[in-house]
């Protein structure tokens, strides 16, 4: 069955920053999940954003799989397994499908209808396909989630008038730089949010410099905005000449610490404060930097507060989107059950074959003088009888599952045949 283990900033009592994944940690978790393939999981996808950490798997066993995922995540993040389990939310089967559909539509976001999450869902499945950790169930699940997410944004008002995290960050930054013509802005990062920020800044007339660890990604993104690019090692130099900066990376450590900023400030010629918006979790900018003169820092919480003020326009569309999700959910249980009935049918055939072979052995022991040619004919005949007897129930099982939304048929078949 499909299972998702989720931590997000929607849990009010949770300090989500301690559960946010850096790119290195994500890679490590993917490797650990790969080691579970075959024993507990068949497929796995990691969805990691600044607001949620979610592991999607096609699981062989529910409880053992959830425990294994909790152990992997807690060990990689350096938090206690009890803390992780306390805040984690677990969904399975059609509940997992519904959760992902809601995530892709923006219904599970702190900012209902925000736009970045759909691109992040798409990135997650593309990464899993590239690494070979996904498969037919999760591929279809994510494909349909992306479809309903696109429909939501094209056909409803859920995103009308909404402000994404990226666009809100640009709005905050440009409002602080309204007296600066064609401001020089550094965008640190090259993911989905950074890409949106670069596009909006370019359209506004800002001069953009993209700074990223991967020079090829930085160059490609900068080219789309007719801007410049720089390596992460040159960040201090870029900031010394910038009017503002927006950070959107998955770095596990601060990219702008207090000591970094002191050097940046001493190298700046412009007496105006450097305007910085940090969209990252874990944070890219050390919070104590805000105590220094020469900088105006806004973190992700400040950006979210701006967005929440424009929420009311979108709420009328929630019921419409939920109805669409319900329609999509009608497809998923059949897929899940179809996947799970195959090993049941295989076990049924295997049990029948074991019985056939055991009974033949007893028969041949009693008739030791039997002509070998006749013995071979008996072997083929009994094999044919067993397969013919099982063909109809196996075919009917597949038909019932394919046409049903009730996945209990799988468990019923196990009980019926004593498997």
């Amino acid at each position: 069955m499909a299972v998702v283990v989720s931590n997000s900033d929607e849990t009010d009592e949770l300090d989500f920053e301690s559960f946010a994944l850096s790119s290195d940690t994500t890679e490590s978790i993917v490797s650990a999940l790969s080691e579970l393939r075959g024993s507990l999981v068949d497929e796995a996808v990691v969805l990691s954003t600044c607001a949620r950490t979610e592991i999607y798997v096609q699981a062989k066993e529910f409880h053992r799989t959830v425990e294994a995922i909790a152990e992997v995540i807690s060990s990689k993040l350096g938090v206690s397994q009890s803390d992780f389990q306390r805040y984690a939310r677990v969904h399975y089967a059609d509940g997992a499908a519904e959760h992902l559909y809601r995530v892709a539509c923006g219904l599970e976001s702190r900012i209902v209808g925000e736009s970045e999450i759909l691109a992040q869902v798409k990135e997650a499945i593309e990464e899993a396909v590239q690494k070979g950790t996904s498969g037919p169930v999760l591929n279809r699940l994510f494909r349909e989630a992306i479809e309903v997410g696109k429909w939501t944004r094209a056909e409803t008002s859920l995103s009308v008038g909404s402000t994404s995290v990226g666009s809100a960050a640009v709005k905050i930054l440009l409002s602080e730089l309204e007296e600066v013509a064609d401001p020089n802005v550094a965008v640190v990062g090259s993911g989905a949010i950074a890409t949106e920020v670069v596009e909006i800044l370019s359209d506004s007339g800002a001069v953009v410099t993209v700074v990223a660890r991967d020079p090829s990604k930085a160059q490609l993104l900068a080219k789309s905005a007719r801007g410049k690019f720089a390596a992460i090692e040159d960040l201090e130099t870029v900031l010394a000449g910038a009017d503002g900066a927006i950070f959107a990376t998955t770095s596990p450590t601060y990219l702008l610490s207090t000591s970094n900023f002191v050097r940046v400030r001493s190298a700046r010629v412009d007496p105006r404060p450097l305007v910085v918006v940090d969209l990252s979790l874990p944070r890219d900018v050390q919070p104590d930097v805000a105590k220094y003169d020469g900088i105006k820092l806004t973190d992700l919480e400040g950006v979210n507060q701006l967005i929440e003020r424009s929420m009311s326009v979108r709420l009328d569309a929630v019921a419409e989107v939920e109805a669409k999700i319900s329609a999509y959910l009608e497809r998923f249980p059949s897929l899940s059950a179809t996947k799970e009935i195959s090993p049941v049918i295989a076990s049924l055939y295997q049990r029948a074959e074991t019985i056939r072979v055991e009974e033949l052995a007893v028969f041949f022991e009693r008739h030791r003088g039997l002509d070998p040619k006749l013995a071979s004919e008996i072997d083929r005949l009994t094999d044919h009888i067993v397969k013919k007897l099982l063909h109809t129930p196996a075919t009917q099982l597949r038909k019932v599952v394919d046409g049903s939304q009730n996945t209990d048929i799988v468990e019923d078949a196990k009980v019926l045949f004593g498997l």
Side-chain angles (χ1 to χ4, degrees):
M1 69 177 70
V3 176
V4 55
V5 179
S6 170
N7 283 92
S8 77
D9 65 356
E10 287 295 286
T11 307
D12 291 333
E13 67 270 24
L14 170 65
D15 176 15
F16 180 72
E17 189 166 356
S18 60
F19 291 89
L21 303 184
S22 67
S23 55
D24 290 342
T25 306
T26 301
E27 289 285 339
S28 179
I29 288 172
V30 170
S31 296
L33 290 174
S34 296
E35 294 176 5
L36 299 178
R37 294 187 71 187
S39 58
L40 291 177
V41 305
D42 292 323
E43 309 170 26
V45 178
V46 177
L47 174 60
S48 171
T49 76
C50 61
R52 67 181 59 252
T53 294
E54 296 186 339
I55 311 299
Y56 292 80
V57 298
Q58 178 66 8
K60 294 177 180 291
E61 298 181 41
F62 177 74
H63 293 291
R64 287 182 59 205
T65 298
V66 171
E67 289 175 0
I69 291 173
E71 183 178 351
V72 167
I73 301 295
S74 58
S75 65
K76 299 301 180 183
L77 289 176
V79 299
S80 70
Q81 192 165 334
S82 61
D83 278 350
F84 179 84
Q85 292 175 324
R86 176 185 174 190
Y87 296 116
R89 301 291 181 265
V90 179
H91 310 274
Y92 64 93
D94 54 341
E98 180 180 11
H99 177 76
L100 180 57
Y101 295 159
R102 291 179 63 87
V103 167
C105 291
L107 292 180
E108 291 297 312
S109 300
R110 183 178 290 272
I111 312 306
V112 174
E114 59 98 353
S115 58
E116 287 101 342
I117 186 62
L118 182 59
Q120 291 163 334
V121 168
K122 188 176 180 180
E123 283 183 358
I125 187 60
E126 287 175 347
E127 186 77 11
V129 170
Q130 183 180 354
K131 294 184 180 300
T133 62
S134 64
V137 174
L138 295 185
N139 285 348
R140 176 176 170 180
L141 177 58
F142 272 76
R143 182 172 65 250
E144 294 192 351
I146 293 167
E147 285 179 10
V148 74
K150 288 180 178 178
W151 176 88
T152 296
R153 286 156 180 82
E155 303 295 335
T156 76
S157 61
L158 193 70
S159 295
V160 172
S162 69
T163 309
S164 66
V165 172
S167 61
V170 173
K171 184 175 182 179
I172 290 170
L173 183 135
L174 294 182
S175 68
E176 295 286 352
L177 298 173
E178 58 184 355
E179 297 180 0
V180 181
D182 302 330
N184 288 290
V185 181
V187 178
V188 187
S190 59
I193 295 179
T195 299
E196 183 191 19
V197 166
V198 167
E199 181 179 349
I200 298 171
L201 283 171
S202 177
D203 291 343
S204 73
V207 179
V208 178
T209 300
V210 179
V211 184
R213 293 190 186 279
D214 187 333
S216 61
K217 287 186 178 179
Q219 184 176 11
L220 187 63
L221 187 51
K223 185 178 180 181
S224 70
R226 299 177 300 281
K228 297 177 286 185
F229 69 95
I232 197 71
E233 292 78 14
D234 298 322
L235 177 60
E236 289 185 16
T237 301
V238 172
L239 294 179
D243 298 303
I246 296 177
F247 287 76
T249 82
T250 56
S251 172
T253 58
Y254 293 132
L255 298 179
L256 184 63
S257 64
T258 53
S259 57
N260 295 140
F261 177 68
V262 168
R263 290 192 293 271
V264 169
R265 186 176 61 174
S266 65
R268 287 178 62 80
V269 176
D270 192 332
R272 291 172 298 191
L274 176 66
V275 180
V276 175
V277 182
D278 185 4
L279 300 178
S280 305
L281 278 178
R283 299 172 191 251
D284 283 341
V285 182
Q286 188 174 355
D288 287 346
V289 168
K291 299 176 182 178
Y292 287 73
D293 293 331
I295 188 171
K296 288 186 176 181
L297 174 63
T298 302
D299 61 12
L300 184 60
E301 185 60 33
V303 174
N304 285 338
Q305 288 173 3
L306 171 66
I307 299 173
E308 286 170 354
R309 299 187 196 114
S310 63
M311 180 73 70
S312 60
V313 179
R314 287 162 275 162
L315 296 183
D316 291 341
V318 170
E320 185 181 2
V321 174
E322 288 179 336
K324 187 71 170 181
I325 288 174
S326 295
Y328 267 78
L329 278 174
E330 292 180 1
R331 312 181 195 179
F332 183 73
S334 174
L335 172 71
S336 177
T338 301
K339 175 81 172 179
E340 293 177 16
I341 199 65
S342 295
V344 174
I345 293 173
S347 296
L348 178 60
Y349 272 91
Q350 182 59 53
R351 183 178 179 187
E353 176 63 10
T354 299
I355 293 172
R356 185 185 77 86
V357 170
E358 289 175 350
E359 291 301 316
L360 276 179
V362 173
F363 177 81
F364 290 144
E365 179 66 23
R366 291 175 180 170
H367 301 82
R368 292 188 177 185
L370 194 67
D371 179 26
K373 186 176 180 180
L374 180 57
S376 179
E377 287 294 331
I378 293 172
D379 181 60
R380 281 196 295 270
L381 175 63
T382 54
D383 179 64
H384 179 71
I385 291 171
V386 167
K387 288 179 178 177
K388 195 163 186 176
L389 282 171
L390 293 181
H391 174 73
T392 297
T395 300
Q396 289 301 113
L397 270 175
R398 288 194 175 96
K399 284 182 179 179
V400 170
V401 166
D402 285 342
S404 172
Q405 297 172 28
N406 182 8
T407 53
D408 290 342
I409 189 65
V410 177
E411 295 305 318
D412 292 342
K414 291 180 181 177
V415 173
L416 180 63
F417 294 111
L419 302 174

